[in-house]
Amino acid sequence: MAQLKTLDLIAILLSISLLTSIPLTQGQQPKVNALVAPITKDSSTSLYTVALNSTKQYLIDLAGPVVWSPCPTNYGLVQCTAPICNEANSFRYPDCKPIINGLQPTGFCKCVSSTKNPVTGECFSGNETLIGTYLASTDGKNPRASVNADYVNICAPDSALSGLPPSAVGGAGFGRTSLVSLPARLAWDLSFHNEFVLCLPATTNAPGVAFFGAKPYFLLPPNSPDISSLLHYTKLLKSPNNYDAAYYLNVNGLAINLQAVSFPGKNEFNFDSYGNGGVKLSTTIPYTVMRSDIYKRFLHKYKEATKRIPKMPAVAPFELCYNSSALSPTRLGYGVPSIDIMLNDGKNWTIFGANSIKDVETNTACFAFVDGGKNEATAITLGGFQMENSFMHFDVPNSVLGFLPTLLGIRTTCSNFNFTSGGN
Ligand SMILES: *[C@@H]1O[C@H](CO)[C@@H](O)[C@H](O)[C@H]1NC(C)=O
Ligand SMILES: *[C@@H]1O[C@H](CO)[C@@H](O)[C@H](O)[C@H]1NC(C)=O
Ligand SMILES: *[C@@H]1O[C@H](CO)[C@@H](O)[C@H](O)[C@H]1NC(C)=O
Ligand SMILES: *[C@@H]1O[C@H](CO)[C@@H](O)[C@H](O)[C@H]1NC(C)=O
Ligand SMILES: *[C@@H]1O[C@H](CO)[C@@H](O)[C@H](O)[C@H]1NC(C)=O
């Protein structure tokens, strides 16, 4: 509860009049550059969790504004005028009921907030609180000493956990807030810049990695360069809807095998004035979903580019499946046409077989993109499978994404962080 601690500290300092030279840092911990936590892929939902306090799993919601989970029996309430209360409420989903902050009999006005389970879409509301936790600090190579931090949590009913990976005790929003998302609060608490890395594992057998805070970010094998030196950078967009905490890519086209997919209009990927459209990054859907008008042309072009590969009957939710024994394995997954998501600033997010073709049955591998229907609000929502073994560095205040679409090209994976403790 660093916010409370700081206030206490001020009070103590004032009362013993020692106030000139002691910096108002968050407690007695040494300065921390960054934190590290393992990411687990769940086999039943194909979604991802991050471990807080060593072992408690939280669903990673890249587009979510806050952390939520059922609260312990005893917890502190937050004042309804606190900045963390205002910000949490400014990210209320418009389809969730507005909440009224509660004036207590004591005259204390407590903070109540609403949010939703991103998998089921179910809204709920609860008291806001701060929960203390331990996370490993890191030098970028190994976990180091544990440090104490807290996060802003909305107390959720147990029923809010439905649809989550069975191991999950709540959801962790990584969205673009300045105070209340998990990365924002850790950055505030430990006085580092609001930046984080997500590196989602492609396997349920070995964890991927999340970093909070500054580079370097190393993955095995030993003596590989700091991954941050290998990234491409692109400006992220935000939705015109201020309550939307998601990160959007600035896309101007798609290409297959270096050939552009043609679209009738010029603004297939843009936002309209209601904030519909855009190319969103999401970790709470397993596969990329496209609005029908985009999906149909994209699928058609891909079909054309792979017409010589023997097909297999489709397996839902996919429409285009291949005889996998007819596909040749390469370092970047099956040897299939590449897909370029062309960004406005000239960079491409290039997707190779490992992120486009999913093995679904013995002998059957499918084109892992899903038709969202013609009324899908978002033009494209990039899902988990397309971001596995991608390295994504979010600089939230500057709205910049540093990315490497696949680590396989440099012969490593997200499961190659050395989680063996490097001592203190
Ligand atoms: C975190 O872990 C510590 C020690 O391992 C434990 O005392 C504490 O209750 C845990 N906190 C939560 C919120 O689980
Ligand atoms: C919120 O806090 C009040 C005390 O002010 C308590 O009575 C209530 O059960 C809490 N609600 C939830 C959902 O935790
Ligand atoms: C991006 O992709 C397009 C379409 O495949 C290609 O023409 C262009 O050369 C690529 N740009 C870069 C910088 O690789
Ligand atoms: C799939 O391809 C393999 C090798 O090319 C072939 O032996 C097999 O019969 C094919 N299976 C089907 C169901 O077409
Ligand atoms: C992982 O880190 C530990 C602790 O620094 C070190 O002893 C070990 O050799 C490292 N593992 C590899 C594969 O480099």
Side-chain angles (χ1 to χ4, degrees):
M1 304 216 185
Q3 199 177 53
L4 303 180
K5 267 191 304 211
T6 307
L7 293 175
D8 292 348
L9 185 62
I10 295 170
I12 293 162
L13 288 176
L14 285 172
S15 66
I16 54 177
S17 50
L18 264 177
L19 37 89
T20 43
S21 60
I22 299 175
L24 292 177
T25 52
Q26 334 286 325
Q28 295 76 39
Q29 309 189 89
K31 172 85 178 116
V32 169
N33 189 50
L35 305 173
V36 68
I39 294 178
T40 304
K41 180 175 179 179
D42 171 54
S43 54
S44 63
T45 58
S46 296
L47 300 177
Y48 314 86
T49 56
V50 63
L52 302 180
N53 221 35
S54 307
T55 54
K56 286 194 155 180
Q57 303 294 328
Y58 288 77
L59 175 75
I60 296 176
D61 181 2
L62 183 54
V66 290
V67 184
W68 54 271
S69 66
C71 281
T73 348
N74 294 307
Y75 59 90
L77 296 169
V78 171
Q79 201 138 20
C80 66
T81 52
I84 55 171
C85 185
N86 290 333
E87 196 186 45
N89 285 329
S90 72
F91 284 97
R92 179 178 62 82
Y93 294 91
D95 54 336
C96 297
K97 277 201 305 269
I99 44 86
I100 295 128
N101 282 307
L103 192 61
Q104 301 295 94
T106 56
F108 176 83
C109 172
K110 68 169 177 168
C111 181
V112 180
S113 245
S114 76
T115 191
K116 67 162 73 164
N117 171 323
V119 179
T120 59
E122 188 213 339
C123 295
F124 55 88
S125 66
N127 299 325
E128 185 179 273
T129 188
L130 289 166
I131 294 189
T133 186
Y134 289 95
L135 280 162
S137 62
T138 185
D139 54 2
K141 289 191 165 155
N142 295 94
R144 312 286 291 198
S146 278
V147 296
N148 172 229
D150 60 27
Y151 54 90
V152 178
N153 187 69
I154 309 301
C155 299
D158 290 330
S159 62
L161 298 173
S162 64
L164 265 49
S167 63
V169 299
F174 280 63
R176 54 162 64 244
T177 76
S178 47
L179 295 172
V180 293
S181 68
L182 178 65
R185 177 66 190 192
L186 295 175
W188 184 91
D189 212 3
L190 297 166
S191 308
F192 53 65
H193 186 69
N194 185 4
E195 61 188 315
F196 67 91
V197 167
L198 277 187
C199 200
L200 304 176
T203 164
T204 56
N205 300 325
V209 62
F211 295 99
F212 302 93
K215 64 183 186 183
Y217 313 120
F218 289 102
L219 296 171
L220 296 170
N223 307 321
S224 310
D226 171 8
I227 306 292
S228 72
S229 67
L230 306 173
L231 304 178
H232 308 291
Y233 290 89
T234 189
K235 197 87 183 154
L236 291 166
L237 299 180
K238 72 191 280 285
S239 161
N241 293 323
N242 287 330
Y243 63 79
D244 184 350
Y247 305 93
Y248 290 84
L249 295 176
N250 193 353
V251 171
N252 65 17
L254 300 174
I256 290 166
N257 256 349
L258 306 179
Q259 300 208 304
V261 181
S262 65
F263 292 104
K266 276 202 139 128
N267 52 3
E268 262 73 20
F269 310 102
N270 293 358
F271 292 110
D272 67 15
S273 52
Y274 303 102
N276 294 321
V279 178
K280 176 159 64 174
L281 302 175
S282 170
T283 53
T284 57
I285 55 168
Y287 308 102
T288 295
V289 170
M290 297 179 164
R291 203 176 57 218
S292 282
D293 57 312
I294 297 171
Y295 174 81
K296 290 212 162 76
R297 284 166 182 265
F298 181 63
L299 181 78
H300 178 79
K301 186 91 177 174
Y302 199 85
K303 227 181 218 167
E304 224 174 61
T306 56
K307 59 174 180 276
R308 293 205 178 78
I309 305 175
K311 305 290 182 298
M312 291 290 260
V315 177
F318 308 122
E319 230 179 290
L320 178 59
C321 299
Y322 304 97
N323 178 344
S324 50
S325 17
L327 294 169
S328 51
T330 77
R331 189 148 60 84
L332 305 177
Y334 287 125
V336 290
S338 63
I339 297 166
D340 285 312
I341 299 176
M342 296 184 280
L343 304 173
N344 243 323
D345 37 21
K347 314 286 166 54
N348 290 326
W349 181 301
T350 306
I351 298 176
F352 297 100
N355 298 95
S356 61
I357 304 289
K358 162 89 180 164
D359 278 311
V360 294
E361 286 172 7
T362 334
N363 295 325
T364 303
C366 300
F367 184 56
F369 293 81
V370 176
D371 185 356
K374 68 178 182 356
N375 296 324
E376 174 71 18
T378 311
I380 301 177
T381 307
L382 275 189
F385 183 70
Q386 275 68 36
M387 298 189 281
E388 288 177 353
N389 287 329
S390 301
F391 195 93
M392 298 180 285
H393 172 226
F394 294 83
D395 177 335
V396 182
N398 293 315
S399 202
V400 167
L401 174 69
F403 68 99
L404 211 49
T406 179
L407 290 168
L408 301 177
I410 57 165
R411 298 174 189 272
T412 188
T413 70
C414 288
S415 299
N416 274 339
F417 182 75
N418 186 348
F419 274 107
T420 306
S421 174
N424 292 329

